[in-house]
Amino acid sequence: MALYWLDAMVFISPSRQGYYDFDLAPSFWMMLEDRSADGVLASTTRVCGELARRRDAVGAWAEARKESRLFIEPNETVQDAFKKVADYVIGNYKHHRGAEFLGDADPWLIAHAIVDRGKVVTHEIPNSLMAQQVKIPNVCKAFNIECIILFEMFRELNIVLEFKG
């Protein structure tokens, strides 16, 4: 399946910060669709749900693609991997922090990457376990899943976005 599993912030940050707004950089959004159609990158349906709840341009874009190959429904194997992620988080973090993390899409994203031996693409940076806030890179590390940022994925896939003026 996918080699790269995209966190919600990979969709949100480019639009929020303006550097890949839909009107300025349609090639970014088309690249996501094209590479997901090729099976190179994906996200979980849980991320699609998070995005759709935003009620903004990114949410509308995601909602329109919820049936595409970009957003993958967790199968039974991914659900089993999710249980392992949940056990790890429950065993290593305070209850309220673990519950917060397990209540959103992040553990599902990691579970997909575990099953597919993929990489997680996120803007999060690891923190000390002493901080007690559950971060994607920390959980990925516990499962030997590589965690990279969006621009690293671009370089690994030789993606060059063209801007026309």
Side-chain angles (χ1 to χ4, degrees), residues 3-147:
L3 299 174
Y4 299 89
W5 289 93
L6 309 181
D7 177 29
M9 291 309 292
V10 169
F11 301 95
I12 296 167
S13 290
S15 178
R16 180 187 295 161
Q17 296 172 358
Y19 55 91
Y20 291 139
D21 273 341
F22 290 96
D23 60 335
L24 295 176
S27 60
F28 170 74
W29 302 95
M30 290 171 31
M31 174 276 300
L32 293 176
E33 291 182 68
D34 292 346
R35 294 298 172 110
S36 69
D38 295 341
V40 174
L41 60 83
S43 193
T44 176
T45 53
R46 303 306 199 277
V47 164
C48 184
E50 283 185 14
L51 297 174
R53 285 190 295 277
R54 294 175 49 81
R55 306 278 185 225
D56 62 5
V58 174
W61 181 87
E63 180 70 24
R65 287 151 186 82
K66 68 180 177 184
E67 301 297 326
S68 73
R69 291 186 62 189
L70 181 56
F71 298 108
I72 308 297
E73 184 70 32
N75 61 26
E76 190 174 319
T77 308
V78 173
Q79 292 172 18
D80 290 342
F82 173 85
K83 291 174 190 168
K84 293 175 184 171
V85 171
D87 288 344
Y88 171 80
V89 169
I90 290 166
N92 288 280
Y93 293 91
K94 291 182 179 178
H95 177 74
H96 70 286
R97 296 288 190 184
E100 181 180 303
F101 181 81
L102 295 173
D104 73 16
D106 296 346
W108 291 100
L109 197 66
I110 296 166
H112 277 286
I114 290 169
V115 169
D116 293 336
R117 296 186 184 103
K119 298 179 183 184
V120 173
V121 182
T122 185
H123 291 293
E124 286 188 12
I125 57 172
N127 64 4
S128 162
L129 277 177
M130 298 301 289
Q132 281 298 305
Q133 185 174 2
V134 187
K135 294 285 192 176
I136 291 171
N138 294 85
V139 178
C140 283
K141 184 177 181 181
F143 289 92
N144 295 313
I145 298 297
E146 191 173 350
C147 199

Side-chain angles (χ1 to χ4, degrees), residues 24 162-165:
L24 295 176
E162 294 186 26
F163 297 93
K164 298 181 180 176

